[in-house]
Amino acid sequence: MNAADLGLPVAVPSTALFTDQYELTMLQAALRGGTADRRSVFEVFTRRLPEGRRYGVVAGTGRVLDAVENFRFDPDVLGFLRERGIVDEATLAWLAEYRFSGDIWGYPEGEVYFPGSPVLRVEGTFAECVLLETVILSILNHDSAIAAAASRMSAAAGGRGLIEMGARRTHELAAVAAARAAYVGGFDSTSDLAAGFRYGLPTVGTSAHAFILLHDTERDAFRVQVDSLGRGTTLLVDTYDVAEAVRAAVEVAGPGLGAVRVDSGDLLLVAHRVRQQLDELGARDTRIVVTSDLDEYAIASLAAAPVDAYGVGTQLVTGSGHPTCSMVYKLVARADSADLAAPLRPVAKRSLGGKASVGGRKWAARRVDADGVAEAEVVGTGTMPPELVERRLQARLVKSGEVVAREPLEAARTRHIAARAGLPLSAVQLSRGEPVITTEYVAGAS
């Protein structure tokens, strides 16, 4: 349950300044040049996946919809733009009335994507669409990077619990978005209370080493924690001597102790020793949680260890080495005039150096083999072949400026699990490799 569900006031700040200045200067020039009202199509895609990754994960869609709804130029924002002389008075007057009135289509949150996948398509006038570029890319690049790392960790964990614990390793606002994206990618809970409040995520947490050190003895600390939080709590057992701490923990809490946490040392070796000791002490149902700078590779290395859950921080909130997806927002089609009946014509960047793009308003579908396993990402212009219609990937998210596709975060999480399961088995291999399926481009009739 989140703040809105509780009936509490939720601040909805304007997102209009989450943008680059050149979006507004382009707008001013287009208004003056008479091209601002030309019907346009922008698409979000990435030319390549981060090195070694085999699939990407779409995350942040719900936050994008919030950002579009709240992209408003209120008096304070307009005053800032006027004071700085960023745009002229005619443009300020236009911005004062700004409301996105176009359409947005995109891959549903939690879906996987590949190089060239049109994960988001924004349609409207050039003026209203171009303003959204920076905020859309900011959200999708960050959240999708976190979700992709979370997905790899989830696959490596093989069904064991995953706790997001990275709030102290990133910006305080990024931490909230990261917890949300990690949940989409397969994590079960977060330590960040702001994420729990804002998005209704399950939250967990008990104590740190400081709490143990505060007390005269480790046993005193355990007794206070159990008295306060109950026998089902998780006791931290690596402040001094792990074996002595486990013994004290079970003596204080009894065999019904919920869990112990280990945050240092050779986790594989320590986990085996702790499990053996817990069993010998009769605490056979006590779970073992491990933390300490884990990533997907460390999690995979612990597959044979008697570990019940992993807590992950730094590597998760930094995308496990890839903190962005390098998504871009490109104009791919536009009309030659402001006439609503004017046909759209493809446009594309043709520069060298791997930055060329494919013009035209695109659809996307995922072709599967006889066993229902994905074999290609098919991206095309014009009419979609009938045999691919049921495999269409894009859904309408915004219609005539109104959000039409809000959904619970749980739906995105469930969708991701299904999407990942539909990929070839090599998708979850942690060894470096190429995208697990290829992207095919199809030029169709208009």
Side-chain angles (χ1 to χ4, degrees):
M1 183 173 290
N2 58 28
D5 294 331
L6 293 170
L8 300 175
V10 180
V12 185
S14 167
T15 53
L17 290 184
F18 292 155
T19 191
D20 292 307
Q21 181 168 319
Y22 82 163
E23 313 290 11
L24 300 187
T25 53
M26 281 193 288
L27 169 66
Q28 176 177 304
L31 288 170
R32 185 170 299 184
T35 54
D37 290 333
R38 289 185 175 184
R39 194 159 55 100
S40 300
V41 179
F42 286 82
E43 289 177 348
V44 176
F45 61 93
T46 184
R47 295 183 176 93
R48 62 192 65 85
L49 297 179
E51 184 180 357
R53 295 288 173 88
R54 296 169 186 258
Y55 63 93
V57 181
V58 177
T61 308
R63 297 209 306 123
V64 165
L65 297 179
D66 291 341
V68 171
E69 274 193 334
N70 299 321
F71 206 90
R72 305 283 188 268
F73 292 84
D74 58 34
D76 288 341
V77 171
L78 293 170
F80 166 78
L81 297 175
R82 179 178 288 110
E83 178 185 345
R84 293 291 182 92
I86 291 173
V87 291
D88 60 24
E89 286 299 324
T91 305
L92 289 172
W94 189 94
L95 291 173
E97 302 299 322
Y98 177 82
R99 300 289 186 276
F100 180 73
S101 64
D103 297 331
I104 299 179
W105 294 73
Y107 283 37
E109 190 159 18
E111 183 58 82
V112 296
Y113 70 88
F114 299 91
S117 296
V119 299
L120 202 73
R121 188 175 74 233
V122 183
E123 303 181 11
T125 66
F126 175 84
E128 64 181 341
C129 294
V130 75
L131 291 180
L132 300 176
E133 174 182 9
T134 303
V135 70
I136 285 176
L137 288 180
S138 176
I139 293 171
L140 292 181
N141 269 315
H142 174 268
D143 290 23
S144 296
I146 306 305
S151 178
R152 286 163 60 85
M153 294 174 189
S154 173
R160 294 173 176 178
L162 287 166
I163 307 165
E164 185 279 313
M165 303 172 63
R168 64 190 62 192
R169 300 293 188 236
T170 188
H171 186 279
E172 68 272 18
L173 298 182
V176 181
R180 182 188 184 280
Y183 190 74
V184 171
F187 271 60
D188 303 295
S189 57
T190 178
S191 65
D192 191 274
L193 290 178
F197 180 77
R198 179 70 181 84
Y199 297 114
L201 302 182
T203 58
V204 297
T206 51
S207 66
H209 291 103
F211 181 78
I212 307 296
L213 297 170
L214 170 68
H215 294 83
D216 295 334
T217 69
E218 197 169 41
R219 186 181 295 270
D220 289 342
F222 290 167
R223 183 177 296 109
V224 170
Q225 183 174 329
V226 170
D227 287 346
S228 175
L229 301 178
R231 298 180 187 277
T233 191
T234 299
L235 297 178
L236 182 58
V237 295
D238 73 327
T239 306
Y240 305 115
D241 180 272
V242 173
E244 290 184 9
V246 171
R247 184 178 304 106
V250 176
E251 289 176 356
V252 169
L257 173 63
V260 295
R261 177 164 75 95
V262 180
D263 188 51
S264 59
D266 183 336
L267 296 179
L268 178 63
L269 176 62
V270 173
H272 278 288
R273 288 178 174 174
V274 168
R275 181 73 270 160
Q276 180 179 354
Q277 187 178 9
L278 287 171
D279 291 347
E280 291 172 350
L281 293 170
R284 294 184 177 277
D285 294 328
T286 298
R287 302 166 70 245
I288 298 175
V289 180
V290 297
T291 53
S292 185
D293 293 326
L294 299 177
D295 60 10
E296 59 266 49
Y297 301 102
I299 291 171
S301 73
L302 293 169
V307 171
D308 298 286
Y310 307 93
V312 189
T314 303
Q315 291 301 318
L316 177 60
V317 298
T318 56
S320 195
H322 297 291
T324 180
C325 303
S326 299
M327 290 182 181
V328 294
Y329 184 96
K330 295 299 180 183
L331 181 66
V332 297
R334 55 91 170 169
D336 289 329
S337 72
D339 184 350
L340 293 178
L344 291 170
R345 67 181 184 86
V347 294
K349 184 176 180 180
R350 298 300 185 196
S351 60
L352 301 177
K355 285 195 171 184
S357 55
V358 178
R361 181 180 185 271
K362 299 174 199 68
W363 49 260
R366 189 162 300 140
R367 192 174 68 240
V368 299
D369 62 19
D371 296 319
V373 178
E375 62 179 12
E377 192 87 340
V378 185
V379 177
T381 56
T383 303
M384 180 183 292
E387 66 273 15
L388 292 177
V389 170
E390 292 187 1
R391 305 296 303 178
R392 183 192 302 271
L393 290 165
Q394 295 152 311
R396 189 192 291 272
L397 305 175
V398 176
K399 182 179 181 180
S400 300
E402 298 294 325
V403 174
V404 295
R406 290 204 186 281
E407 63 180 7
L409 196 57
E410 193 66 40
R413 174 185 170 86
T414 301
R415 179 181 296 115
H416 175 63
I417 294 171
R420 189 177 66 193
L423 298 176
L425 288 176
S426 57
V428 296
Q429 291 179 342
L430 295 182
S431 58
R432 291 182 177 273
E434 297 300 315
V436 71
I437 62 175
T438 59
T439 302
E440 299 176 1
Y441 290 95
V442 178
S446 298

